[in-house]
Amino acid sequence: MTSAALEGLVFDVDGTLADTETVHLAAFNQAFADLGMDWHWDEALYTRLLEVSGGKERVQHYWQQMRPDVRAIDAMAVEQTMARIHEIKTAHYEAAVNDGAVQLRPGVLALIEEAAAAGLRLAIATTTSPVNIAALLRRAMGSDWRSRFAAVQDASSAPLKKPHPMVYQQTLAQLGLPAAACLAFEDSANGLRSALAAGLATVITPARFTARHDFAGALRVLPSLEGVGVDDLRAWRAAA
């Protein structure tokens, strides 16, 4: 799997590029309060809910746990409420990011810049929404952030969420590179399973909410990308 020359790096977003989940959690709770709902997610509950990929899917999963008696006739009203929750939550999250509540994790920007200078193609493969990606990377990299990435696949383009490999398969197709020529960067077990299913060797940097996940099969599990360079990535692939 790692015999080809390294040509591309594919990054997850939430938890990987930035430790965003605390801000996402606060935004969900603000949305619940705005809508007059009696829901409140604490950190322990949210840690469990993160086993479900995708914000809308997380809300739906929780709703089904809280209201398993909702009849099919109410399905449209439920769908509309969930969409409204996610819309308000996204607005709160974007405002927090714009206010500087989230920064890139240590080593991320340095690795991206070194990889670009070395001629590697960069990509994003995430289950988060385009609005969330743009808010984070516009703040961290500037208004031209999109030009740094040869491929971006997200919740709008890959409806089958991680651990399904769809988002990575589509990213590789957009890059025009085989999995053997790329490395993935993830922070969660679902992300790792998704990347491995697409044939990608994967470097894991666990975040606050994913530290206890099972990362069996990862190429490396590191506290962060601080001090990690392209030569390190090539050496790890060669050793594997």
Side-chain angles (χ1 to χ4, degrees):
M1 182 170 65
T2 57
S3 59
L6 182 60
E7 298 182 64
L9 305 182
V10 185
F11 294 90
D12 171 54
V13 174
D14 287 324
T16 302
L17 292 185
D19 199 349
T20 57
E21 295 300 353
T22 298
V23 181
H24 279 299
L25 173 57
F28 273 118
N29 284 327
Q30 285 179 285
F32 302 151
D34 288 354
L35 292 172
M37 304 176 72
D38 62 358
W39 293 5
H40 182 83
W41 293 352
D42 60 20
E43 288 196 5
L45 173 58
Y46 192 61
T47 298
R48 295 193 298 273
L49 289 173
L50 283 174
E51 295 176 9
V52 179
S53 295
K56 291 180 182 177
E57 290 78 6
R58 215 163 285 142
V59 172
Q60 182 177 25
H61 176 79
Y62 184 70
W63 191 303
Q64 289 170 345
Q65 288 184 320
M66 297 296 292
R67 293 289 308 277
D69 59 329
V70 173
R71 297 173 300 168
I73 196 170
D74 300 317
M76 181 61 71
V78 171
E79 189 72 26
Q80 290 173 345
T81 301
M82 288 192 298
R84 183 62 178 151
I85 290 170
H86 197 260
E87 179 184 6
I88 295 172
K89 174 261 172 184
T90 298
H92 282 304
Y93 175 81
E94 184 175 10
V97 171
N98 289 337
D99 286 342
V102 180
Q103 293 81 38
L104 295 184
R105 291 183 65 182
V108 166
L109 188 56
L111 179 59
I112 286 174
E113 291 177 344
E114 182 187 346
L120 274 62
R121 293 167 66 80
L122 305 175
I124 288 173
T126 179
T127 58
T128 201
S129 67
V131 172
N132 289 345
I133 301 167
L136 173 66
L137 295 184
R138 183 172 58 243
R139 173 84 183 188
M141 296 181 175
S143 59
D144 65 340
W145 69 268
R146 182 61 181 82
S147 65
R148 299 188 184 217
F149 297 94
V152 174
Q153 294 290 322
D154 53 46
S156 68
S157 57
L160 297 180
K161 302 298 191 294
K162 299 172 185 178
H164 194 283
M166 173 184 276
V167 70
Y168 278 109
Q169 292 167 340
Q170 293 182 172
T171 300
L172 291 170
Q174 189 177 359
L175 281 176
L177 293 174
C182 299
L183 277 180
F185 295 83
E186 280 283 356
D187 75 300
S188 71
N190 276 347
L192 174 61
R193 288 165 60 196
S194 175
L196 291 178
L200 283 155
T202 308
V203 175
I204 296 289
T205 52
R208 176 177 178 179
F209 286 92
T210 61
R212 297 182 181 179
H213 286 194
D214 180 2
F215 298 121
L219 179 66
R220 283 289 189 284
V221 180
L222 308 169
S224 75
L225 292 175
E226 190 168 16
V228 174
V230 172
D231 286 345
D232 298 307
L233 303 179
R234 288 174 173 149
W236 297 340
R237 293 173 76 254

